[in-house]
């Protein structure tokens, strides 16, 4: 399977959370809200917001944790991965 590389621009929904693996590697998780601007006749309006869960590793993880906070605007480049499953209630979910 080929990796899908993306660049997205958005705002952090919460402060980044840095944790460490048992081997001592830093891992930083945060969510990014991305709201496109949509042309509506002669004006613009906000489109539907998408939310992305971002994971950064090693030195980048530590840098993100030290440098960014909720509401900050960032550009993220990386690999896009998705997965789907069925919830116990029978609902189909995907992230």
């Amino acid at each position: 399977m080929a990796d899908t590389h993306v660049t997205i621009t958005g705002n952090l929904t919460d402060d980044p959370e840095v944790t460490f693996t048992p081997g001592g590697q830093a891992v930083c998780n945060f969510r990014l809200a991305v709201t496109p601007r949509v042309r509506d006749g002669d004006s613009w309006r906000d489109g539907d917001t998408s939310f992305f869960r971002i994971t950064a590793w090693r030195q980048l993880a530590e840098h993100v944790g030290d440098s960014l906070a909720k509401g900050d605007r960032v550009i993220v480049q990386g690999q896009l991965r998705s997965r789907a499953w069925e919830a116990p209630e029978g609902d189909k979910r995907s992230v």
Side-chain angles (χ1 to χ4, degrees):
M1 176 172 103
D3 292 327
T4 302
H5 294 273
V6 296
T7 301
I8 55 176
T9 303
N11 296 76
L12 272 68
T13 62
D14 295 300
D15 289 336
E17 181 181 322
V18 178
T19 57
F20 292 87
T21 66
Q25 293 293 329
V27 181
C28 181
N29 292 294
F30 60 95
R31 285 189 342 136
L32 200 66
V34 178
T35 305
R37 298 291 291 159
V38 178
R39 184 98 171 153
D40 191 5
D42 290 338
S43 63
W44 293 86
R45 64 176 173 79
D46 287 340
D48 293 334
T49 301
S50 296
F51 295 91
F52 296 88
R53 186 180 319 266
I54 311 294
T55 303
W57 293 87
R58 300 174 189 82
Q59 285 182 313
L60 178 59
E62 293 182 55
H63 178 68
V64 168
D66 291 341
S67 303
L68 300 178
K70 179 179 179 177
D72 285 348
R73 189 137 180 98
V74 297
I75 298 171
V76 175
Q77 292 182 313
Q79 296 174 355
L80 181 63
R81 295 195 181 142
S82 64
R83 63 183 173 91
W85 72 95
E86 189 170 312
E89 307 82 32
D91 299 330
K92 294 189 185 297
R93 307 268 173 98
S94 65
V95 292

